[in-house]
Amino acid sequence: MRSNATLTRREALATGAVLAPMVAAAQGAPPSNGGSGWTVLAWNQHTRELHNYWASDHSQSAVMGTPLLVLDLYEHAYHIDFGASAARYVDAFFANVHWDEVQRRLERARRP
């Protein structure tokens, strides 16, 4: 039987745990803040749940949040390789996520 600490890519996407703004960008709908910033999947140490957070700059973070996966949606992150196509960038990002590493981070964050 699998530990309840396990988060597979399929489970994360199925439960909506993986970064709703990333999915919106991939579908062509820009986030309400214009699309710039970081989308963060984090383990909330207080609620003991996965949460999605949006940070518009480096001075914002989730209180009690341990980052597991972060997507940079500032233009400098994708413009050279993908031009204005944030959706292709997001697709490439997901295709290259090392889910075993995300899992390792989750297991570590869940430790008491």
Side-chain angles (χ1 to χ4, degrees):
M1 187 164 137
R2 209 160 32 107
S3 161
N4 65 359
T6 301
L7 172 71
T8 66
R9 178 180 187 272
R10 186 170 52 98
E11 290 168 333
L13 292 171
T15 63
V18 174
L19 311 166
M22 284 186 197
V23 175
Q27 295 171 341
S32 60
N33 69 355
S36 295
W38 294 282
T39 307
V40 182
L41 173 67
W43 176 252
N44 185 299
Q45 297 293 343
H46 178 71
T47 65
R48 310 295 293 164
E49 298 172 327
L50 290 169
H51 288 274
N52 300 314
Y53 299 98
W54 185 264
S56 63
D57 63 36
H58 67 279
S59 67
Q60 298 174 330
S61 66
V63 175
M64 299 294 293
T66 302
L68 306 175
L69 182 65
V70 179
L71 173 63
D72 184 347
L73 279 172
Y74 278 102
E75 282 185 346
H76 67 252
Y78 61 86
H79 197 270
I80 290 175
D81 294 320
F82 298 97
S85 181
R88 285 189 358 190
Y89 165 69
V90 171
D91 289 343
F93 175 85
F94 274 119
N96 288 285
V97 169
H98 294 270
W99 290 100
D100 290 341
E101 176 60 22
V102 175
Q103 176 65 36
R104 185 193 67 75
R105 293 173 187 172
L106 175 62
E107 290 171 0
R108 186 172 183 179
R110 283 184 162 172
R111 289 183 197 151

